[in-house]
Amino acid sequence: MAEIIGVRFKTVGKVYYFAANGIQAQVGDAAIVETARGVECGEVALSNKEIPEEQITAPLKEVIRLATAEDLAVVAKNKKKEEDAFRICEEKIRFRKLDMKLVEVECTFDNSKLLFYFTAENRVDFRELVKDLASVFRTRIELRQIGVRDEAKLLGGLGICGREFCCKGYLGDFQPVSIKMAKEQGLSLNPTKISGTCGRLMCCLKHEQYAYEQLLKVTPKAGTMVQLPDGTQGVVEEVFLLTGKLRVRPEGAEVGTLVSKDEVQVLHATEGSREQRPPRKKPQPAQNSAPKEQKPQKEAKPRRDSRPPRQRSDRPHPPRQGRQDKQNKPPKAE
């Protein structure tokens, strides 16, 4: 078992684990820790807790100390530096005529690095901008391009529901959202109605998806044949998942009636569903069809092995012409 402390570096951000190193911290305290970006000051989100070592991603860095009054003064000074860096960077962007939008600036606790977050539709060549910023601040400069969802999380705002953005208020990480969730929840597929301020699908679709999945399992679908409490049969025309009501039109009636899903009995599966479709049969050849004319087969040629062996003649072969000329050739004159 290892004793850890959870620290986050933004108001609503991911919680990182650090070794307690014998320090007792409470939720809300400020702590100085060592990270991959350098020494930083964060807020304690999880007090001292023991967890199995298998759940720890090595190497686990340690908490240096709890923040003192001097450390908090350094943090306030860095905040002022971030505001100045934001203003200067915007001036440099306008001077270089770069197609990018600056979102936020972060300064590490030890003042070893300045991080500039920006958004852009295309790739931006900011090498000259980095040189300009490095000549002004005399420290390490890092520019990071982020997406529109990250921009909304950093800036914050109010959604169409009138509440604060979910990503800014309490969401630590973004959850994947698909258009299938909007279909299952019976929402309009108009992009302007199911998209958030960032232009992506609203995060609240993911929050309510589990409840809709459970309700869809126990609620008849539209088009299902059901039996009403009085014994008559009808077809489900409309489903209200959250209230558990069904609009059923009895046979021979022109207007449907509202009933509870617990008061009806499902007779068969939804029309056109997979359960109602007949099994696919494999095509079989017709039995009464006339047989096809068979082509006459060609006679097979005899194999080479089946041929009779050659008979050798007992007559002596005549000598070759070249050998005979050599024998009759006169000797060379000495």
Side-chain angles (χ1 to χ4, degrees):
M1 302 292 287
E3 187 178 5
I4 56 93
I5 293 177
V7 180
R8 63 160 53 106
F9 302 98
K10 295 182 181 179
T11 305
V12 179
K14 186 178 179 180
V15 178
Y16 297 89
Y17 292 158
F18 295 89
N21 196 19
I23 299 175
Q24 298 294 326
Q26 302 295 329
V27 177
D29 294 343
I32 307 299
V33 296
E34 182 182 358
T35 66
R37 300 191 304 182
V39 180
E40 293 191 43
C41 179
E43 180 185 358
V44 176
L46 181 65
S47 58
N48 297 63
K49 181 181 179 181
E50 291 187 356
I51 60 174
E53 295 183 359
E54 293 79 12
Q55 300 181 6
I56 299 176
T57 303
L60 187 64
K61 297 184 179 297
E62 299 179 349
V63 177
I64 299 176
R65 64 181 181 275
L66 294 179
T68 60
E70 291 79 7
D71 296 332
L72 297 179
V74 173
V75 172
K77 183 179 179 180
N78 291 341
K79 291 291 183 183
K80 183 66 172 62
K81 185 176 181 179
E82 291 173 0
E83 297 175 0
D84 297 338
F86 191 94
R87 176 179 51 81
I88 294 175
C89 184
E90 283 188 329
E91 295 176 357
K92 299 296 182 180
I93 291 173
R94 287 194 294 267
F95 176 76
R96 294 289 179 181
K97 297 180 180 180
L98 298 176
D99 188 11
M100 55 188 293
K101 177 185 176 183
L102 187 63
V103 178
E104 192 179 47
V105 180
E106 285 186 4
C107 180
T108 57
F109 177 78
D110 56 359
N111 202 9
S112 61
K113 184 191 297 185
L114 275 174
L115 293 93
F116 296 83
Y117 298 94
F118 70 94
T119 58
E121 296 182 358
N122 302 314
R123 297 185 63 180
V124 180
D125 185 5
F126 49 75
R127 289 175 292 182
E128 297 299 328
L129 177 62
V130 172
K131 295 179 182 179
D132 296 342
L133 297 175
S135 62
V136 174
F137 298 103
R138 301 293 180 178
T139 187
R140 184 179 176 183
I141 304 297
E142 184 174 342
L143 274 79
R144 292 185 181 180
Q145 185 173 357
I146 59 177
V148 290
R149 298 184 75 183
D150 298 298
E151 180 185 5
K153 184 177 180 65
L154 291 175
L155 298 180
L158 298 178
I160 58 176
C161 59
R163 297 174 61 89
E164 186 182 18
F165 291 164
C166 298
C167 56
K168 180 68 174 179
Y170 60 91
L171 278 183
D173 296 324
F174 291 109
Q175 300 293 331
V177 186
S178 63
I179 195 68
K180 179 183 176 182
M181 299 178 182
K183 293 180 180 179
E184 293 181 349
Q185 297 177 22
L187 299 177
S188 172
L189 300 184
N190 188 351
T192 58
K193 295 184 178 181
I194 59 177
S195 300
T197 308
C198 60
R200 301 293 187 266
L201 292 175
M202 295 186 294
C203 298
C204 56
L205 296 177
K206 178 67 175 179
H207 309 336
E208 303 173 2
Q209 179 63 16
Y210 178 78
Y212 277 92
E213 289 178 353
Q214 300 303 317
L215 291 174
L216 286 172
K217 295 179 181 179
V218 297
T219 305
K221 299 181 180 179
T224 306
M225 182 68 68
V226 296
Q227 183 176 353
L228 297 174
D230 57 358
T232 59
Q233 298 181 2
V235 180
V236 178
E237 291 184 335
E238 193 174 0
V239 179
F240 304 95
L241 286 176
L242 297 181
T243 59
K245 298 292 184 179
L246 305 175
R247 186 181 299 279
V248 181
R249 181 173 55 84
E251 294 181 348
E254 298 181 356
V255 182
T257 178
L258 282 177
V259 294
S260 175
K261 65 180 181 180
D262 300 327
E263 299 176 357
V264 300
Q265 181 181 0
V266 179
L267 298 180
H268 59 76
T270 307
E271 296 181 0
S273 62
R274 184 177 299 178
E275 294 81 0
Q276 197 179 16
R277 294 174 187 170
R280 183 178 297 178
K281 297 181 180 180
K282 296 182 180 180
Q284 298 180 358
Q287 297 179 358
N288 300 330
S289 58
K292 296 182 179 180
E293 297 181 358
Q294 297 182 356
K295 296 181 179 179
Q297 298 181 356
K298 296 182 180 179
E299 297 181 359
K301 294 182 179 180
R303 287 187 175 183
R304 183 175 297 179
D305 300 340
S306 62
R307 295 177 183 177
R310 274 183 196 177
Q311 297 181 359
R312 296 186 177 183
S313 176
D314 297 338
R315 293 182 301 173
H317 292 281
R320 294 182 179 179
Q321 189 69 23
R323 189 177 298 177
Q324 186 177 3
D325 296 344
K326 189 175 181 180
Q327 293 177 357
N328 300 333
K329 189 177 181 180
K332 293 182 180 182
E334 295 181 358

